[in-house]
Amino acid sequence: MVAQGFSVDLNKPLVFQVGHLGEDHEDWVHRPIVTKEIPRLFANGFMEWLTRTVWWVVPVIWLPVVFWCLTMSIGMGNSLPQLVPMVLSGILLWTLIEYSLHRFLFHMKTKGYWGNTIHYLFHGCHHKYPMDGLRLVFPPSATAIICVPFWHLLHLLVAPSAVPAVFGGGLLGYVIYDCTHYYLHHGHPSKHPAKHLKRYHLNHHFKVQNKGFGITSSLWDIIFGTSPPAKTSHQKN
């Protein structure tokens, strides 16, 4: 694990080490270590705890918020038939946000100390240790931060009476995304479409890291031309 004369000690907290890798950070982080052992990111116990989230926290915390949003929307005069296209629009919008975050933020190119450090904390740690089950879903604090601009964005895109339902749909899309992401790494699907999604995502991890950014759907990869080569994406992983 040597790059530019710097050796990463995998037995010590990693976050503040990887910044020293410089331009070799991207190459290093995309050499996965397939183990179920949980690497330590921070020496500080509280900071370390903040980075660890069990998957079921996502539906437990956010599905009640989805229900509250839909209840609010009904209270604003929307009928159940009217809610359906609003919720579906929110889910579709989330898939675009999911794709954009993954492609442009989580796979940003970095080479400076702090850029490498932030990238590793955001997403690099997941590529380095793809089977780390406690860093596969967003911590609730990170999700809450994303929700704030999403809520304000919707006020610019849709009528005020539609905002709660579309927001609830987007949040539901997020819950589906994070639970799907966990399952693709730790589940063993035997039938399509889950089997295809697992192959598609593991292909992103182990073969073509700069393609296949969709998790719950390949829709935006197809639209924006970032689908992996067909022969590669259908190989078994």
Side-chain angles (χ1 to χ4, degrees), residues 1-191:
M1 299 299 176
V2 177
Q4 294 185 338
F6 179 77
S7 178
V8 175
D9 188 342
L10 299 178
N11 296 311
K12 295 181 179 180
L14 296 174
V15 166
F16 294 121
Q17 292 191 69
V18 297
H20 297 292
L21 290 170
E23 294 181 350
D24 290 330
H25 167 73
E26 184 173 357
D27 177 69
W28 179 84
V29 86
H30 287 131
R31 295 174 182 266
I33 297 175
V34 182
T35 175
K36 292 186 178 181
E37 294 181 10
I38 301 173
R40 192 171 183 90
L41 298 189
F42 291 97
N44 180 276
F46 179 70
M47 293 296 294
E48 179 69 9
W49 175 76
L50 286 177
T51 69
R52 300 185 179 194
T53 308
V54 291
W55 73 268
W56 50 262
V57 165
V58 172
V60 166
I61 290 180
W62 297 112
L63 285 182
V65 179
V66 172
F67 179 76
W68 176 76
C69 288
L70 299 184
T71 301
M72 182 191 304
S73 185
I74 292 174
M76 297 173 73
N78 294 302
S79 65
L80 288 177
Q82 289 175 317
L83 288 185
V84 173
M86 296 179 191
V87 171
L88 292 178
S89 296
I91 293 174
L92 180 64
L93 182 57
W94 164 256
T95 63
L96 177 58
I97 293 172
E98 164 198 323
Y99 172 88
S100 301
L101 287 174
H102 194 185
R103 180 180 177 182
F104 299 110
L105 179 61
F106 295 162
H107 280 268
M108 60 182 176
K109 308 297 183 183
T110 63
K111 60 181 179 180
Y113 177 83
W114 287 110
N116 288 349
T117 300
I118 293 171
H119 174 265
Y120 188 77
L121 185 59
F122 276 4
H123 195 62
C125 61
H126 175 52
H127 271 266
K128 191 65 180 177
Y129 290 92
M131 297 305 292
D132 181 352
L134 292 181
R135 297 190 180 97
L136 271 172
V137 300
F138 284 16
S141 56
T143 306
I145 291 172
I146 294 174
C147 281
V148 173
F150 183 51
W151 176 267
H152 290 291
L153 173 65
L154 290 180
H155 279 85
L156 300 176
L157 299 178
V158 301
S161 61
V163 169
V166 178
F167 181 85
L171 196 55
L172 178 60
Y174 157 70
V175 172
I176 295 171
Y177 152 80
D178 245 353
C179 292
T180 299
H181 189 204
Y182 185 89
Y183 181 69
L184 295 183
H185 281 268
H186 291 279
H188 302 283
S190 59
K191 297 181 180 180

